[in-house]
Amino acid sequence: MGEIAREPASTGSTQRLAELAGDAPPTSIPEVVKRLAEIRDYAASTSLLGENDGIAAFTKLYHVITTRVGEMVDSGRFRSSPFLVRLDLEFAERYFQALRSYAADIHTTPGVWRVLFDNRSDPKVPPVNFAVLGVNAHINYDLAHALIATWRHVEPDGDGPDSAQYHDYRLINDVFEMEMDGLREELDSLLSAGPDGAPWDVGANWLADLVVTFTRDLAWDEAKRVWQAGATPEVCRASERKLDRTATFIAEGVLRLPLPF
């Protein structure tokens, strides 16, 4: 694939977003919700695209999902709340760390997050595509290693019908499905036909399915594989490199999806 046109945000904006991401991992779901709200609002208020800014568009979706997860924790719907809360914190920290690394040295930022961050100000990219880019990075790259980080604090208890952790992990799918349905419908409407009424390339629809339709089970399987291999630094780095290559390939395709305007 050819090189994507990059439009990095200003250094000041990038540094401030890193500050809002915090200088340490979050310690509670309300703290995650607060940080996400501040990142969303700042990104929107300092971008020419407003709420359509890439970081604002993804963070808005992430904020909604995390808020609903917090409500589910408070209502006692999870069998293993310590696992679920820790996973939510580790998951969020991956996003916050990506923002920090981008401000410190963009070359240390995972490629899949750079696709979103580098292009966040591009007016040719619709906000739904930005949201999909963030979902792709967070699920296809971050989630497996957020699980591994969680298991370092809360030992895994299997993945069959008797596993409280797996039950709760799957329960989160309900929240994702609710939000992804709207994203799927919006993306489908953009991909339904080209300017002349002809269908878009089937590859574009496959790409949308790969990102928006559930890949959380794949993340669980990868986390199990790495954990069973000892989850050493070397094994983790190799897994992250593999996941980043795949997720970045998908992200570059999403960024190039032909849109009917």
Side-chain angles (χ1 to χ4, degrees), residues 184-199:
R184 170 73 255 185
E185 289 172 9
E186 188 171 354
L187 202 58
D188 272 345
S189 69
L190 295 176
L191 293 170
S192 60
D196 300 322

Side-chain angles (χ1 to χ4, degrees), residues 14-115:
T14 300
Q15 292 291 342
R16 181 55 182 156
L17 287 169
E19 292 171 4
L20 293 173
D23 57 5
T27 58
S28 70
I29 292 180
E31 183 181 348
V32 171
V33 170
K34 180 177 182 292
R35 290 191 198 183
L36 291 173
E38 291 174 345
I39 291 167
R40 175 201 63 202
D41 294 346
Y42 180 79
S45 67
T46 57
S47 172
L48 292 176
L49 299 184
E51 293 182 355
N52 292 340
D53 170 83
I55 290 178
F58 166 65
T59 308
K60 177 182 178 180
L61 174 66
Y62 190 18
H63 178 268
V64 169
I65 292 173
T66 304
T67 299
R68 291 188 176 165
V69 170
E71 292 169 350
M72 292 170 70
V73 171
D74 292 341
S75 68
R77 291 187 61 188
F78 296 109
R79 293 181 183 172
S80 179
S81 289
F83 162 78
L84 197 286
V85 171
R86 171 58 66 173
L87 176 59
D88 194 87
L89 300 181
E90 297 290 351
F91 199 31
E93 173 60 13
R94 299 276 300 190
Y95 178 45
F96 297 149
Q97 182 55 42
L99 288 169
R100 294 185 205 112
S101 65
Y102 192 75
D105 180 357
I106 63 173
H107 300 294
T108 65
T109 310
V112 65
W113 280 117
R114 282 196 59 185
V115 176

Side-chain angles (χ1 to χ4, degrees), residues 10 15 38 43 68 110 120 127 133 150 164 178 215 244 249-250 253:
S10 69
Q15 292 291 342
E38 291 174 345
R68 291 188 176 165
R120 57 174 287 209
L133 287 173
T150 298
M178 189 185 312
T215 53
D244 192 23
F249 174 79
I250 295 170

